[in-house]
Amino acid sequence: MMNGQINDLLANIISMYAPQFGRTITKKVALNLAMIAIECQIENTSGDTYALMRTALSECGTILEENIEDGIISGVILSGATNMNPAFLLLKADGTSIQLAVNAKEGLIKQHTAERAIDAFKSAFANAKGS
C-alpha cells in the first residue's frame, strides 16, 4: 500500500470517527494533518499476522473498522501524556509485514501522541505473539 493510499484511508477514518472523541475534523482537514507512517517487518511463527494484529489493537485501543479481505484494520488508541488524546491508526497486514500509519493532533504542548500510540501497539503485539 502506498503512502497516498494510507493517507486517504486514514483521512476517511479520522473524519468519520473523530467526533466520537471530541474532535470535529473534515476529510479535507484530515488530509493536511501530519502523518507518521512506519513499516514493520514482523517474524511471526506463532500464528496469523492479521489475527495477532487485531488482538493487539483490541488490547491497547479500539477497533473502528475491519477489512479482512485486504488485511486492513483501523482503530484508535488514547495516548499522549494523560492517555486522553486520540491517535487514529491504520494497520495493514501483508504476510509477516505490517504497515502502520498513525495520526494524532498535537497542541501547544507536544505529547508525542502518535509515537506513544505506536509504542503501545508494538508492546501489545509482542504480548499477543507471546500468548
Side-chain angles (χ1 to χ4, degrees):
M1 185 181 292
M2 297 174 55
N3 281 343
Q5 291 173 306
I6 291 171
N7 198 21
D8 194 47
L9 286 169
L10 193 56
N12 282 336
I13 292 161
I14 291 168
S15 62
M16 286 179 3
Y17 290 99
Q20 294 177 17
F21 296 93
R23 305 202 187 249
T24 303
I25 300 175
T26 65
K27 183 177 177 183
K28 184 176 179 182
V29 171
L31 282 168
N32 292 321
L33 293 175
M35 182 182 75
I36 296 173
I38 297 175
E39 268 190 54
C40 302
Q41 293 294 325
I42 299 172
E43 293 184 27
N44 186 16
T45 58
S46 60
D48 179 11
T49 301
Y50 181 86
L52 291 171
M53 186 173 72
R54 185 183 194 289
T55 299
L57 185 56
S58 295
E59 180 183 312
C60 66
T62 303
I63 293 174
L64 299 175
E65 293 182 10
E66 291 185 76
N67 182 333
I68 297 170
E69 294 81 27
D70 293 333
I72 296 172
I73 301 175
S74 63
V76 64
I77 294 175
L78 294 177
S79 187
T82 58
N83 289 333
M84 293 180 65
N85 196 18
F88 294 92
L89 291 84
L90 183 68
L91 306 157
K92 181 169 180 8
D94 186 18
T96 60
S97 176
I98 293 177
Q99 291 183 13
L100 170 64
V102 179
N103 190 306
K105 186 168 174 69
E106 296 284 354
L108 293 174
I109 299 171
K110 304 298 181 227
Q111 301 179 49
H112 305 284
T113 304
E115 292 89 346
R116 290 178 187 211
I118 290 167
D119 290 344
F121 177 78
K122 284 182 177 179
S123 176
F125 191 83
N127 289 340
K129 281 177 48 175
S131 40

